Structure formats: structure tokens, C-alpha cells
Amino acid sequence: MDFGLVLQTDPPAARVVELARQAEIYGFSHVWTFDSHLLWQEPFVIYSQILAQTRRVIVGPMVTNPATRDWTVTASLFATLNDMFGNRTICGIGRGDSAVRVINGKPVTLADLRASIEVIRPLANGGQADYRGNLLRFPWSHGSQLPIWIAAYGPKALALTGEIGDGFILQLADPAITEWSVKAVRTAAEAAGRDPASVTICVAAPAYVTDGTEAGLAHGRDQCRWFGGMVGNHVADIVGRYGTDGSAIPKALSDYIAGRQGYDYNSHGKAGNEHTDFVPDEVIDRFCLIGPPAAQVARLQELRELGVDQFALYLQHDAKDATLASYGEKVIPAVNVRGAAKV
């Protein structure tokens, strides 16, 4: 299983770069960031510094959107970084959340999401794209390769992911919802004539390593409760479209937002967010990985058996360095056990 680290580009940028550098040392293969240009600093500028100060990690947004940048600009950003650093970028993309809602915009339609990928992918991979009636290419780009992973929750978004995505990003770590989502993506891929196994599966969620005590568990839950609120933003849209009877989406995904009463994006992705008090402990336990290293390993092994190829760890809490070290020294080695030198 691959491991990714998800960071906010909160100043100072040097701290973001340092966490990315440490992640590589600890064995993480990917470094992702939020992409919300008003709440945090511009990620693509910081990617350049991360790539310059590391050797192997792949960087990209979790997730960008088609609304806040021209699609050709997005493609150019990735192609430029690949030209500079040798194909070490990845594009996580979705309909949009904080980046568009903070400026009173709305998430794009799935049709526009599909259309944006059909422009970004060929341009960022050295090809041509039809954009606004023009056939365009980057004459300076040679050999760029960009995987595009789609973040999705609802049935139609999952189907789109299976049809055209190089990868699938599920932003929660509930095993039952993971199983349902992965099945939907792979079914859509097969129906589109693709090899279902060709779609890389990524589960992204906060992880908080505790000492095994009840007090430690309670603190870890409170530090990660913000995540249930963030997921709730997307779920609320899905519930508005499909309802809560369980026929279109699992009730395990939809039921918990019944007590949701708005959301303050000024506290987006922050521990202690008072607008996420509606999220019960049971949801935090399902959506996140909270507990001692052995509990973390057990959940990761369960996710791997469900077909998950990468776990991306959100690191937005008060134990960034300790959690990163625990993963590098205890969790990752236990999940990815090295073989013997002499066989």
C-alpha cells in the first residue's frame, strides 16, 4: 500500500515544505495539499519548492476544481512542473468545495468536470485538446505524464470516475462505504470497457495516533471532528439530490448530517471547528483512523483487502510531528512488511 500525506498550505510555506520532506524520509510516496486560494496559500508555488527539496515524492492537490482556474492554466501548471522535475505530479480533482463556496460560487456540474478533464489530461500529457473551438497544445512540453484522480461520493460522480478516472479519491475511511464506493467505480469502469483494476483507489482521512487510553481516544476524536463537517458539505449536496432512504447512497453516509446547521468556511479543516459539533463520535471512529499503532494497522489492512491502493493521511491536528513519526516508524513498516534478504 502506498501512503500519502495531505497538508494545508497554511503559512509559513517553509513548514509545509519541511513536513513534505519529512514525509519522504518516513516512506510516504505522495504529498497532497488542499487547494483553496483564499483560505490558504497558492499550492502550485509551494509544489515547486517541495519538488526541489525532495527526490521521489509525487505532489498534487486534494483536490483542485475546474472553476477557479482556466483549464488550460491548470494543465500548464502541471506540465511545467513535470518538465522541471520529471513527472512527479498528480491531479486530484472534483466539483469544488471551499475554493468556490468562499467566493459565493457553486460546485461545477459533472458535465463540466468531465469536460475539464478532457482538456487538462491531453494538454498535460503532451497532446492536443479542443478548447472553445480551438485545437491547442503546449509546444514546449515534451514527455509530461499526469495521472488524474477524481474525488467522488455520489452515484453519478462514482460512475464518471470509473469511466474516465486514472484514480478514485474517497475522502473517508469507513470500510462499508469504501466497499460500496469501490464496487460502484469498478462496475462503471467495466461497463465503459476498461479494466476495473486500472483505476487506482485512494482513501483519504485524518489519522491520529493515540496512547491507547480512553482520554487519548477522546482527544483524538475532538482533533479530527472537523473532518466529519467537511465530508458533510458534500453529503448535504448528495442528500439534496438523492434523499436519505438508502436506495441511492448508503445510510451510513447520509444519516449523520441530520443535525447539520450550516458551515463556517473560516474554520474549514481546523481542529476545534464549532460548526462540526453535530458529528457524533461513532462517525469519527468510522471516517477516521484514531487509536494506537496496532489499531491503525488493522484498519489499513482491512482497507487494503477492499482494494485500496493508497491511504492519504490528513494531518490537521495538534500532533503533526508525532503522528508523522509514528506512521514512518511503526505503521507503514507493519503494513508494508519487508521480505527477508535471504530466501
Side-chain angles (χ1 to χ4, degrees):
M1 176 182 278
D2 285 339
F3 286 84
L5 187 68
V6 188
L7 302 170
Q8 290 171 347
T9 53
D10 212 22
R15 172 65 167 153
V16 181
V17 175
E18 176 59 21
L19 285 169
R21 195 182 68 82
Q22 289 295 323
E24 180 177 72
I25 292 171
Y26 281 130
F28 287 77
S29 60
H30 291 67
V31 173
W32 304 87
T33 74
F34 285 56
D35 180 11
S36 195
H37 58 290
L38 286 174
L39 298 180
W40 303 288
Q41 293 182 327
E42 171 58 41
F44 284 89
V45 179
I46 298 172
Y47 295 158
S48 187
Q49 287 296 307
I50 293 174
L51 290 166
Q53 296 187 39
T54 56
R55 295 178 295 170
R56 298 180 304 278
V57 291
I58 296 168
V59 304
M62 187 177 281
V63 294
T64 194
N65 68 84
T68 53
R69 297 185 188 87
D70 183 272
W71 303 344
T72 62
V73 171
T74 299
S76 181
L77 288 166
F78 285 111
T80 299
L81 290 172
N82 282 343
D83 185 65
M84 293 173 66
F85 299 103
N87 290 330
R88 291 171 56 200
T89 67
I90 188 167
C91 177
I93 192 168
R95 296 176 57 225
D97 182 26
S98 63
V100 294
R101 296 185 199 266
V102 168
I103 57 176
N104 291 329
K106 295 181 179 180
V108 304
T109 65
L110 288 176
D112 280 345
L113 177 58
R114 179 192 293 270
S116 73
I117 293 171
E118 291 173 349
V119 171
I120 294 168
R121 173 183 278 142
L123 287 179
N125 282 283
Q128 300 177 340
D130 187 341
Y131 184 60
R132 296 181 179 175
N134 299 298
L135 190 61
L136 305 176
R137 67 183 181 90
F138 298 140
W140 45 264
S141 178
H142 304 284
S144 175
Q145 297 176 16
L146 178 70
I148 295 182
W149 293 9
I150 302 173
Y153 291 108
K156 292 183 179 179
L158 293 170
L160 175 66
T161 302
E163 291 169 15
I164 67 171
D166 297 309
F168 163 49
I169 297 171
L170 176 63
Q171 291 166 301
L172 54 81
D174 178 276
I177 297 173
T178 298
E179 184 176 20
W180 174 81
S181 302
V182 170
K183 181 180 179 181
V185 168
R186 288 181 169 165
T187 298
E190 187 172 17
R194 306 179 65 197
D195 177 3
S198 69
V199 183
T200 304
I201 307 297
C202 174
V203 159
Y208 197 102
V209 179
T210 73
D211 59 5
T213 65
E214 285 299 317
L217 175 61
H219 181 74
R221 284 169 173 162
D222 286 341
Q223 286 291 303
C224 297
R225 200 172 304 276
W226 65 267
F227 184 70
M230 186 188 82
V231 173
N233 295 332
H234 302 283
V235 174
D237 287 344
I238 298 168
V239 167
R241 175 172 295 186
Y242 296 102
T244 59
D245 63 4
S247 61
I249 57 174
K251 293 181 74 65
L253 180 60
S254 63
D255 277 0
Y256 85 98
I257 68 164
R260 181 179 182 269
Q261 297 179 352
Y263 189 80
D264 182 1
Y265 277 94
N266 288 314
S267 301
H268 187 57
K270 294 182 179 180
N273 183 343
E274 294 179 358
H275 293 269
T276 61
D277 289 345
F278 71 92
V279 182
D281 289 349
E282 179 266 336
V283 166
I284 299 305
D285 291 344
R286 289 194 291 111
F287 283 16
C288 306
L289 275 68
I290 303 173
Q296 307 265 337
V297 171
R299 174 72 69 83
L300 290 165
Q301 290 173 335
E302 184 178 6
L303 292 171
R304 181 165 59 185
E305 290 173 1
L306 293 173
V308 175
D309 301 296
Q310 179 181 146
F311 175 67
L313 187 164
Y314 279 91
L315 200 66
Q316 285 72 50
H317 50 57
D318 65 359
K320 293 180 177 65
D321 294 304
T323 297
L324 192 57
S326 291
Y327 260 72
E329 295 171 0
K330 298 178 181 179
V331 177
I332 294 176
V335 174
N336 296 331
V337 178
R338 296 175 62 180
K342 187 175 181 179
V343 296

